[in-house]
Amino acid sequence: MEKKKIVIALGGNALGKDVEEQKEAVEKTAKVIVDLAEQGADMIITHGNGPQVGMIQDAMDNLMVKYENCKQIPLPTSVAMSQGYIGIDLQNAIKYELYKRNMDRKVSTILSQVEVDAADKAFENPTKPIGRFLTEEEAKKMEAGGVHVMEDAGRGYRVAVASPMPKRIRELGTIRTLVEAGHIVITCGGGGIPVVDRDGRLQGVNAVIDKDNASSLLAAQLGADYLIILTAVEKVAINFGKENQEWLSDLTVEQAKQYIEENQFAKGSMLPKIEAAIRFAESGEGRKTLITLLDKAAAGIAGETGTVIHY
Ligand SMILES: Nc1ncnc2c1ncn2[C@@H]1O[C@H](COP(=O)(O)OP(=O)(O)O)[C@@H](O)[C@H]1O
Ligand SMILES: NC(=O)OP(=O)(O)O
C-alpha cells in the first residue's frame, strides 16, 4: 500500500461522557487507531473537548463560589487542561495497544495553540455548545444571568461560547517533525488553545475552536491524504431526523455547498464537519474526508460505508 497520511478527528463518542468512562472509551478508540497504524499510515489524532471543557469551567466556577479568594479560570486555560487529560489517556491507551501487538511506534501528545483573528465576528455570536445538557429551566436561569445558551441539534440546551476560525497552528513545525520521525501524534485537541498574537506574545482568548475546523487546517497544512471525522452517525444525511431522511455515501463539494444553502446540516454539530471537509478538499488535489462511526473507520476507508466528501 502507498504510504498515506491520515488526520483522524475524534468526536465525543470516542472519549466517553466523564473521566471514568474516558479511560474505557479510549481503549476501544486506541484499537481503531492502531488497526490503521498497522497498515503503515502516518497518523495524526485530534479530538473534541466540548463536554470536557464545560465540565472544567463548571468545576472552576464552583471553586470560586466555595473560596472567596479563588479567581476565575479563563476558558483558554480550561482548553489547555482538557488537551492534557484527554491527550494523556489517548496516548497511554494507544501505547498499550501497540505494546500488546508488539509494534514499535512512538506516541506523542503536543499541547497546541491555534491563532485566531481578534476581530473575528464569531466573538459577537457564540455558536459552540460546551458542557452538559441543561434542562429548559436551567437554560432560562443561566440566560437571565447573562450566560449564552443554545439549543444543540435537537438534543437539548447547552452553554454556548464563541468559536472563531482557526488561522495558524503555532506548533505545526513540531508536529511535522514528529510525524516525519514516525510518531503517532495527538494534537490540536479541542480545536487547539485559542490565542491571538500580540507583538509576538501569545495571549489566550475566550473561545473554543471547532475541532473539525482545526483538523481540516492541520490536515491541509501537513499535506494529508485523508481527513477522517469519527462521530456519532455512520453517514451524513439530508432531511436528518425527518421521515424523508436520506443517508449519503458520496458528496461532492458542489453538492455539499448546495445542501448547506438548504440548511441541511445543524449548526454546531454537522455543519462544521461539512465545512471542514469542503475546505480540506479545496486545499489540494485528491484530498478526501470520510465521516463515519468510530467502529466503521476501517470499513469506511475500504469504501464500504460512511460519507466521503471530495472534489
Ligand atoms: N444532516 C445530518 N446528518 C447526520 N447527522 C447530523 C446531521 N445534522 C445534525 N447531525 C447530528 O450531528 C451529530 C454529530 O455532531 P457532534 O455530536 O457535534 O459531533 P462530535 O462530538 O462527534 O464531533 C450527529 O450525532 C447528529 O445527531
Ligand atoms: N472543540 C470541539 O470542537 O469540541 P467538540 O467536538 O466536543 O464539540
Side-chain angles (χ1 to χ4, degrees), residues 48-51 128-129 190-191 208-211:
N49 73 342
K128 182 77 189 158
V208 172
I209 299 171
D210 185 89
K211 65 114 180 13

Side-chain angles (χ1 to χ4, degrees), residues 11-12 155 211 231-233 236-237 240 264-266 268-270 273:
R155 298 178 290 192
K211 65 114 180 13
T231 186
V233 281
V236 177
F240 181 67
Q264 289 286 357
F265 311 120
S269 60
M270 192 46 76
K273 296 185 197 314

Side-chain angles (χ1 to χ4, degrees), residues 134-147:
L134 308 165
T135 62
E136 197 170 347
E137 200 186 340
E138 281 176 312
K140 279 186 181 151
K141 210 169 159 188
M142 289 182 98
E143 230 168 5
V147 177

Side-chain angles (χ1 to χ4, degrees), residues 43-61:
M43 311 270 298
I44 305 96
I45 317 298
T46 68
H47 59 81
N49 73 342
Q52 297 84 354
V53 77
M55 177 194 75
I56 294 168
Q57 284 277 283
D58 264 358
M60 295 303 168
D61 289 349

